[in-house]
C-alpha cells in the first residue's frame, strides 16, 4: 500500500473544511483509501471499518488518535499568530454592547410592539421573540463565560465584575461555575476528575437503562428533560457531573467542589443570583407572573437549552475517547473535544461552537481570535483535530442513541462510547 500515506494526508488536510472543493477532495480520498486498503479483493479490518463507517446512515468519521501526540502545547502555540493572545478591553466591550443593544431592541419589541398586534399575530410573534432573544442572550452568556477564563481583558478584577453581573442576570452563580468549569478544563476527558457530562461505564447504568435508550420515545424524553431542567439540575444537584463523596451543589459554599479559598466568592455568587431573583419577584408583583415568564423566563429557558446542548455536543461523540487515570494526560484530554457547525449561530454564539478545540488548548484566548487560531493549528493537530459538520438536530439524536456508556476496547485505560445492550 505505497500510496496509503498520501490518501491519509489528503484526508487530514481537508477534514473539517465545509467548502465544496474540500468536501469533494475528502470524498475522493476516502474512496481511494478504502480501495487502497482493501486491494484486490481484500477485506478491511474491524479497525478500518471503524475508520470509515461507524455511525450508519451515511455517517463517516475517524476516531481521534489516542497515542501521545507527536507535538507539544508549545509547538501548537507557536503556530498561532501572537496577536491572537492579545485581549482588548475595547473590542471585548464592543461585542458585549452589540449583544446588549440587540437584547434591548428585542425587549422593546416585546413590550411595545407585540401587544399592539392582533391576537392571531401575537401567537407567532411571541415564539419568534423567545427564540431570537434566547439566542442573543446565549451570546451574552458566552461572554460571561469568557470572563471566567480571564479572556475578556487583561484585568482579572474587571473580568470578574463583568462576569458576575452578566451571569447573575442569567441566574448563574458566576464564581461557583467559574471554579468548577476551570476544573473541567484541567481534567477534560478524565473519567475520574472531569466535571461535566462524565460518561458512565456499562455496569454503572441503572437496570432500566436499556428500556429507555433502546426506545425512541425514551430517548426523546431524556433529551427534553436534559434541555429544559438539565442546567438547573446540574447547578443544584450536580447531575451529570463528577461523582463526589457527599452532596455537591454549586450554590453551597461548603460543597466538596470548592476549597477553602473559594468559599467566600461562592457566597458572593449566591448573593448575585439572589439579588436578580428578588428583582424578578418585584417585577412579577408589579406586572404579573406571566409577564415575567413571557419577557424573561422563556428566553432564559432557551439560553439554558443551548448551553446544555452546546456542551453536550462538544464532549459527546463516538469519535472522542475518554481516559482513566492510567492513560489520561492533559493534552490528550484537551484534544478529546469536538468542533461543530451551527450555521449562522456560530457568530451569534461568538464561535464557542466551532472553535472549542482551540478554546480547550488556550482558554484565555479571546473569542474574536479563535477562528484564526483554529485555522492555524489544524495543520499541526492533523488527525487529532476533530470537527463534525453534521446538522445539530441530527447529531443530537445520533449521539443520544449511540453514546450511552463507555467501555475499553483495544487498550486498557482508553474508553469509547457504545450503545450495545443485551435484549431486554
Amino acid at each position: 500500500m505505497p500510496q496509503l500515506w498520501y490518501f491519509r494526508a489528503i484526508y487530514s488536510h481537508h477534514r473539517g473544511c465545509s467548502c465544496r472543493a474540500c468536501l469533494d477532495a475528502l470524498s475522493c480520498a476516502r474512496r481511494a483509501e478504502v480501495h487502497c486498503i482493501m486491494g484486490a479483493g481484500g477485506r478491511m479490518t474491524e479497525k478500518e471499518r471503524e475508520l470509515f463507517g461507524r455511525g450508519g446512515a451515511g455517517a463517516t468519521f475517524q476516531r481521534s488518535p489516542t497515542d501521545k501526540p507527536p507535538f507539544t502545547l508549545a509547538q501548537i502555540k507557536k503556530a498561532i499568530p501572537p496577536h491572537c493572545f492579545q485581549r482588548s478591553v475595547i473590542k471585548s466591550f464592543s461585542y458585549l454592547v452589540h449583544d446588549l443593544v440587540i437584547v434591548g431592541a428585542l425587549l422593546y419589541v416585546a413590550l411595545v410592539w407585540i401587544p399592539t398586534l392582533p391576537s392571531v399575530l401575537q401567537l407567532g410573534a411571541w415564539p419568534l421573540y423567545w427564540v431570537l432573544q434566547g439566542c442573543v442572550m446565549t451570546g451574552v452568556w458566552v461572554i460571561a463565560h469568557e470572563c471566567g477564563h480571564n479572556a475578556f481583558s487583561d484585568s482579572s478584577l474587571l473580568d470578574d465584575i463583568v462576569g458576575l453581573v452578566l451571569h447573575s442576570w442569567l441566574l448563574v452563580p458566576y464564581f461557583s461555575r467559574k471554579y468548577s468549569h476551570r476544573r473541567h478544563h484541567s481534567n477534560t476527558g478524565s473519567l475520574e476528575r472531569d466535571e461535566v457530562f462524565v460518561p458512565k461505564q456499562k455496569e454503572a447504568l441503572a437496570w432500566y437503562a436499556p428500556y429507555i435508550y433502546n426506545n425512541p420515545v425514551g430517548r426523546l424524553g431524556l433529551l427534553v428533560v436534559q434541555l429544559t431542567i438539565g442546567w438547573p439540575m446540574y447547578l443544584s444537584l450536580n447531575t451529570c457531573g463528577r461523582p463526589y463523596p457527599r452532596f455537591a451543589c454549586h450554590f453551597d459554599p461548603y460543597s466538596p467542589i470548592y476549597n477553602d479559598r473559594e468559599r467566600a466568592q461562592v457566597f458572593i455568587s449566591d448573593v448575585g443570583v439572589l439579588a436578580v431573583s428578588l428583582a424578578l419577584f418585584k417585577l412579577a408583583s408589579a406586572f404579573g407572573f406571566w409577564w415575567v415568564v413571557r419577557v424573561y423566563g422563556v428566553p432564559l429557558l432557551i439560553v439554558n437549552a443551548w448551553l446544555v446542548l452546546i456542551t453536550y455536543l462538544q464532549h459527546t461523540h463516538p469519535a472522542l475517547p475518554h481516559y482513566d487515570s492510567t492513560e489520561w494526560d492533559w493534552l490528550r484530554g484537551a484534544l478529546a473535544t469536538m468542533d461543530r457547525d451551527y450555521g449562522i449561530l456560530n457568530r451569534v454564539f461568538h464561535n464557542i461552537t466551532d472553535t472549542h478545540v482551540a478554546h480547550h488548548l488556550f482558554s484565555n484566548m479571546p473569542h474574536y481570535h479563535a477562528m484564526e487560531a483554529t485555522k492555524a493549528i489544524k495543520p499541526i493537530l492533523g488527525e487529532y483535530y476533530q470537527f463534525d459538520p453534521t446538522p445539530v438536530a441530527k447529531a443530537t439524536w445520533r449521539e443520544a442513541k449511540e453514546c450511552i456508556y463507555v467501555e475499553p476496547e483495544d487498550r486498557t485505560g482508553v474508553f469509547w462510547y457504545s450503545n450495545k445492550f443485551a435484549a431486554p
Side-chain angles (χ1 to χ4, degrees), residues 55-277:
T60 58
F61 58 82
Q62 181 180 7
R63 276 185 169 183
S64 177
T66 57
D67 293 330
K68 184 178 176 63
F71 46 78
T72 65
L73 185 64
Q75 289 172 324
I76 302 172
K77 186 174 183 179
K78 188 176 180 180
I80 301 174
H83 71 264
C84 290
F85 296 97
Q86 296 175 1
R87 294 160 293 193
S88 167
V89 66
I90 295 176
K91 195 165 187 177
S92 295
F93 265 114
S94 71
Y95 281 95
L96 175 58
V97 170
H98 171 271
D99 286 356
L100 293 180
V101 167
I102 297 177
V103 168
L106 290 171
L107 182 61
Y108 176 84
V109 168
L111 296 179
V112 176
W113 184 65
I114 293 181
T116 64
L117 295 175
S119 299
V120 175
L121 294 180
Q122 287 190 34
L123 293 176
W126 278 113
L128 181 61
Y129 162 77
W130 294 332
V131 171
L132 294 177
Q133 190 73 290
C135 289
V136 178
M137 287 168 61
T138 302
V140 177
W141 196 100
V142 171
I143 292 176
H145 153 264
E146 286 216 325
C147 291
H149 285 293
N150 196 206
F152 187 82
S153 74
D154 291 333
S155 169
S156 58
L157 176 60
L158 176 61
D159 284 14
D160 284 342
I161 291 173
V162 173
L164 178 64
V165 171
L166 296 180
H167 260 162
S168 297
W169 170 51
L170 299 171
L171 298 183
V172 177
Y174 169 72
F175 288 108
S176 308
R177 200 253 173 196
K178 169 183 172 178
Y179 291 127
S180 67
H181 186 66
R182 283 188 174 183
R183 291 189 176 95
H184 158 62
H185 272 257
S186 298
N187 299 283
T188 306
S190 168
L191 288 175
E192 288 93 354
R193 300 186 304 276
D194 202 351
E195 287 284 345
V196 63
F197 285 118
V198 183
K200 295 181 179 180
Q201 297 186 48
K202 188 175 184 179
E203 57 270 19
L205 295 176
W207 63 269
Y208 51 81
Y211 298 91
I212 295 178
Y213 292 111
N214 284 341
N215 180 354
V217 176
R219 287 197 300 274
L220 180 61
L222 283 176
L223 285 173
V224 170
V225 170
Q226 188 174 334
L227 297 179
T228 52
I229 62 175
W231 176 242
M233 286 179 66
Y234 170 68
L235 292 179
S236 303
L237 305 173
N238 199 39
T239 304
C240 293
R242 167 185 170 182
Y244 282 96
R246 61 183 179 86
F247 177 70
C249 171
H250 279 73
F251 297 100
D252 178 10
Y254 294 92
S255 169
I257 302 173
Y258 311 110
N259 59 43
D260 291 338
R261 291 181 288 108
E262 298 165 346
R263 304 197 194 286
Q265 291 178 311
V266 173
F267 177 76
I268 293 173
S269 298
D270 292 346
V271 172
V273 173
L274 180 61
V276 174
S277 299

Side-chain angles (χ1 to χ4, degrees), residues 1-5 7-8 29-49 51-52:
M1 295 183 291
Q3 293 86 18
L4 183 56
W5 65 270
F7 298 127
R8 284 182 172 163
R30 279 184 178 137
R31 290 195 298 268
E33 186 177 357
V34 172
H35 178 76
C36 186
I37 290 173
M38 295 183 71
R43 293 186 179 181
M44 296 176 71
T45 66
E46 184 64 31
K47 200 69 176 178
E48 289 159 349
R49 282 194 295 271
L51 178 68
F52 293 106

